Amino acid sequence: MKHGFGIAGIAGRMGRVLVEEVAAAGAPLSGGIDRPGSVTDATLLPDMAALAAACELVIDFTHASTVQAHAKALAEDGTAWVLGTTGLSAEDEAAVAVAAERIAVVYAPNFSPGVNLMLALAERMAAALPPATYDAEIVEMHHRQKVDAPSGTAIGIGRAVAAGRGVKLEDVMDSGRNGHTGARITGHIGFAAMRGGQVVGEHTLLFASGDEHIALTHRAFDRRAFAAGAVRAALWARGKPAGLYTMMDVLGMR
Ligand code: NAD
């Protein structure tokens, strides 16, 4: 019988905190999935199809390579999906959108309330600070184990800036400058990624003109900020109709 929440990537850094946050919310945990040989005290199920069959909603923090298979298994089973995995390709995001025609999906590159407020502020700042005068740059730092760059959150901030300026991020994104790159292109949004130590997540959005700088910085000190937000999203998504939702919907910010 379908009951409670399931966690994909349950033995991972996020998965372990999610187990605690699901318990703290008083929600039942049906079990989880992870790679063979992973260690967890929770019930491990063989694959996503088995996990979907056992629970009413899956919270998924795994790896981008899982997304298309997870989208298919969850849509076929009619199980809601809170998706926090980052580094998704355009094909992965298309698979998420197809699944959202059949199930409720909350997909956010960052589930912390602070970052979602930062996204809203970024869009407003970008609309107020014209690209001809203010260069937008996004700098992020994460722990040395992170596998994708720029971070999903940095890309989300870039999308918010692009939306504020009425352009598509893909048309103005300058990521990982290296070598003889030429002068900065007016209107482009720059990205730089640092990796080292055990930094949970730091993002700065800078608008730089010749006369002034204004910067917005978010620092996460504990993964609990993301895990608590994901559990909040899971409680919100229960019983919601099929659709693609974001953390902004969960927080009532749009
Ligand atoms: P992690 O490597 O510690 O954990 C990922 C877990 O997924 C591992 O235990 C791994 O074994 C498991 N896994 C990988 N492939 C699998 C598969 N095919 N089937 C089942 N399990 C599989 O990583 P992490 O730091 O916990 O982050 C996980 C993901 O969440 C990353 O994409 C990260 O960028 C993202 N993340 C998102 C947010 C957010 O708020 N949206 C916050 C933090 C991390």
Side-chain angles (χ1 to χ4, degrees):
M1 212 214 29
K2 290 172 83 63
H3 175 64
F5 294 158
I7 298 174
I10 196 162
R13 281 179 291 268
M14 281 299 299
R16 292 193 294 269
V17 188
L18 281 161
V19 170
E20 294 173 11
E21 287 302 311
V22 166
L29 179 66
S30 316
I33 54 170
D34 209 292
R35 285 200 190 108
S38 301
V39 178
T40 171
D41 291 337
T43 307
L44 267 182
L45 291 151
D47 55 28
M48 181 54 101
L51 182 62
C55 63
E56 58 175 325
L57 181 146
V58 169
I59 305 174
D60 185 350
F61 283 72
T62 50
H63 185 274
S65 59
T66 70
V67 167
Q68 296 188 30
H70 287 185
K72 191 164 177 286
L74 290 163
E76 277 172 5
D77 196 80
T79 304
W81 191 18
V82 169
L83 176 60
T85 303
T86 64
L88 275 60
S89 66
E91 291 76 25
D92 296 334
E93 291 198 333
V96 174
V98 168
E101 290 169 12
R102 297 187 53 183
I103 56 172
V105 181
V106 185
Y107 167 45
N110 194 308
F111 278 95
S112 92
V115 158
N116 284 278
L117 182 59
M118 184 172 176
L119 295 177
L121 293 171
E123 188 169 339
R124 291 187 61 182
M125 288 167 82
L129 302 171
T133 314
Y134 290 86
D135 297 324
E137 294 282 317
I138 297 161
V139 184
E140 53 109 337
M141 180 161 187
H142 284 84
H143 52 86
R144 69 200 316 282
Q145 294 89 354
K146 185 163 177 64
V147 294
D148 52 312
S151 73
T153 302
I155 294 170
I157 295 168
R159 288 208 170 116
V161 172
R165 291 180 166 178
V167 295
K168 275 177 65 180
L169 178 61
E170 290 66 28
D171 297 336
V172 295
M173 183 166 178
D174 272 343
S175 184
R177 295 185 188 102
N178 185 29
H180 191 84
T181 57
R184 193 186 195 289
I185 298 172
T186 298
H188 275 207
I189 301 171
F191 288 76
M194 294 187 283
R195 295 288 176 266
Q198 292 305 325
V199 174
V200 171
E202 295 186 4
H203 294 86
T204 293
L205 167 63
L206 169 70
F207 289 93
S209 82
D211 304 324
E212 63 171 355
H213 285 187
I214 179 167
L216 204 55
T217 295
H218 179 273
R219 290 195 180 90
F221 301 115
D222 196 309
R223 289 183 176 79
R224 211 162 290 282
F226 314 127
V231 171
R232 184 167 166 181
L235 295 169
W236 177 91
R238 276 197 302 203
K240 283 276 182 310
L244 186 53
Y245 305 100
T246 72
M247 197 57 188
M248 295 284 195
D249 298 304
V250 177
L251 297 171
M253 285 165 61
R254 70 167 195 191

